[in-house]
Amino acid sequence: MHRGRPVTEMTRTLLLVLLTGLTAGGQDNGFTLRVEVPVVSVDISVTDDDGRPVAGLAPDDFEIRENGIPQSIQYFGPSTAPYHTYILVDVSGSTENKWDFMRRAISRFVATLAPWDRISIGVFGQTLTTLSPWNPPGSQSLSALEPILELEPLGGTTELYRSLEEVVDDAFDEITERKAIIVLTDGRDTSLYLELAQRNRLREMEDDRQFRSAYRRVAESGVTVFFVAVNTDQNLESGNAGADEYRNLGIIFGDSPWPERYLEAVRLRMERLAEVSGGKVFFPRSIADVETPFGEIASALNEAYSLGYAPERRDGDPVRRIEVRVPGLPYEIRQSRTEYRFIPE
């Protein structure tokens, strides 16, 4: 993976962002992460009075304020710029019974993309394998999905966080246009499960090195991450085949709350990764439910403007509130994020 980056004038203006999360129990535990980013990025959708997306806006049409202070736009991606979307599919044993569901879901999503967009498809279990390089959203890309049903479950560990980090570092290394990752998974990275099963301890986010590493890279990358999450505490199914960690924890711990707390911790980690990137987690219960989240994702990708700025001030309130406007025009603005936390150098 590419860890280093050349020093540029932009990286000399690094921000130190402090981002907070929650424990598996939902209480504030002071989880903090120091993240270095060259600019603060935010995706924007703009609609008119009738709810129709507004295309053709230029950088000068937008105004960004941070805590009320005007900012200079350092990066601008118009809504017509290509979106590079990496579709990352969990093919570990715990998702085996969902592979056909995932393949059909991806096919429906790809059909909604604009012809100038590009997609890449990869699968992960213990390791990451890219099945299709960057291609237009068409038959060539979809053909990469066919072998999924013929795969043997990838044995060993499920390396969700490392695979996500590898995609961020490698797949987008040469990409300058807008970019996103869609992850189809149950979110169950093996490291969290083993800690509970073997040590009777549910690792908190601030102690979870693999999660924190992926969180940091996602926060720094400018890649929007969406999860289509299956078999979580929000859409749990009974009678699953394959390696079911939740069922195993029920055998180990009996009627204790640990299995439920484990599923909650898994879900909260996905939500934090999506949140810090400006993305979202969806919890479909059936293939019919997939159309709504994939429709939302496709709309977000096809209609969004991407803006980035380096804050003009580095003192004052560490909580920085972001407000984007189109002055003088009656448009509705939706932002992928509205605030972040900042620590001066």
Side-chain angles (χ1 to χ4, degrees):
M1 294 190 296
H2 303 291
R3 298 293 184 190
R5 291 290 186 269
V7 177
T8 65
E9 186 62 31
M10 183 66 75
T11 59
R12 294 190 183 98
T13 64
L14 293 179
L15 308 179
L16 299 180
V17 181
L18 179 66
L19 297 152
T20 60
L22 300 177
T23 68
Q27 300 298 317
D28 185 359
N29 71 341
F31 165 54
T32 60
L33 186 60
R34 188 172 172 138
V35 180
E36 295 183 349
V37 293
V39 295
V40 177
S41 60
V42 57
D43 277 5
I44 306 296
S45 66
V46 184
T47 53
D48 61 19
D49 289 341
D50 295 322
R52 294 172 299 193
V54 177
L57 297 177
D60 290 344
D61 294 316
F62 290 92
E63 178 184 275
I64 299 181
R65 292 179 178 268
E66 184 179 281
N67 284 2
I69 301 173
Q71 307 292 318
S72 298
I73 296 175
Q74 305 287 332
Y75 167 80
F76 178 77
S79 60
T80 54
Y83 228 117
H84 285 70
T85 303
Y86 192 106
I87 301 174
L88 181 60
V89 184
D90 184 345
V91 292
S92 61
S94 63
T95 64
E96 182 180 3
N97 69 319
K98 286 293 186 182
W99 290 355
D100 182 57
F101 172 93
M102 292 176 175
R103 181 181 59 83
R104 288 186 289 156
I106 295 168
S107 297
R108 295 189 182 194
F109 168 71
V110 170
T112 68
L113 295 178
W116 52 81
D117 291 332
R118 296 294 179 267
I119 66 170
S120 182
I121 298 172
V123 297
F124 75 94
Q126 186 169 0
T127 58
L128 170 71
T129 301
T130 296
L131 302 177
S132 169
W134 293 114
N135 286 312
S139 58
Q140 183 178 0
S141 297
L142 290 175
S143 66
L145 300 172
E146 298 306 320
I148 289 180
L149 294 180
E150 302 172 7
L151 288 173
E152 291 294 326
L154 298 186
T157 59
T158 302
E159 303 291 342
L160 168 60
Y161 304 135
R162 288 180 180 172
S163 297
L164 182 59
E165 193 171 349
E166 188 173 344
V167 171
V168 167
D169 282 348
D170 292 348
F172 295 97
D173 195 43
E174 304 295 328
I175 304 302
T176 58
E177 295 94 354
R178 301 179 301 162
K179 44 200 175 183
I181 300 173
I182 300 175
V183 191
L184 291 92
T185 182
D186 58 13
R188 303 178 189 182
D189 190 279
T190 297
S191 60
L192 185 66
Y193 167 74
L194 290 179
E195 186 77 10
L196 179 56
Q198 297 177 356
R199 301 184 181 182
N200 297 344
R201 175 177 178 265
L202 187 59
R203 186 180 294 157
E204 306 290 358
M205 281 194 239
E206 72 272 19
D207 299 324
D208 191 337
R209 291 188 298 111
Q210 292 182 15
F211 166 75
R212 290 177 62 193
S213 180
Y215 187 94
R216 179 180 294 109
R217 289 298 301 121
V218 167
E220 295 169 349
S221 68
V223 180
T224 305
V225 179
F226 300 93
F227 287 91
V228 177
V230 298
N231 208 23
T232 72
D233 61 343
Q234 302 297 304
N235 54 358
L236 186 63
E237 297 182 359
S238 61
N240 286 320
D244 192 319
E245 297 88 349
Y246 174 72
R247 181 185 60 198
N248 293 342
L249 291 173
I251 296 172
I252 295 170
F253 294 106
D255 294 331
S256 81
W258 283 115
E260 282 70 27
R261 290 187 62 192
Y262 165 74
L263 286 184
E264 184 181 32
V266 166
R267 182 210 2 121
L268 285 172
R269 281 161 168 77
M270 286 190 283
E271 290 177 344
R272 296 297 167 263
L273 288 165
E275 180 182 64
V276 76
S277 73
K280 189 175 180 180
V281 184
F282 299 92
F283 304 98
R285 293 185 177 275
S286 68
I287 190 65
D289 294 335
V290 168
E291 292 188 0
T292 297
F294 272 117
E296 287 188 33
I297 294 172
S299 295
L301 298 185
N302 290 332
E303 299 168 8
Y305 294 86
S306 295
L307 308 178
Y309 68 95
E312 300 291 340
R313 291 183 56 186
R314 299 190 177 193
D315 55 0
D317 189 347
V319 178
R320 302 300 178 90
R321 295 172 180 82
I322 306 169
E323 183 181 7
V324 181
R325 303 173 181 172
V326 181
L329 296 172
Y331 294 150
E332 181 177 347
I333 303 291
R334 287 196 307 166
Q335 303 176 200
S336 62
R337 61 166 129 180
T338 58
E339 68 179 36
Y340 69 98
R341 290 181 177 268
F342 174 86
I343 298 179
E345 292 182 274

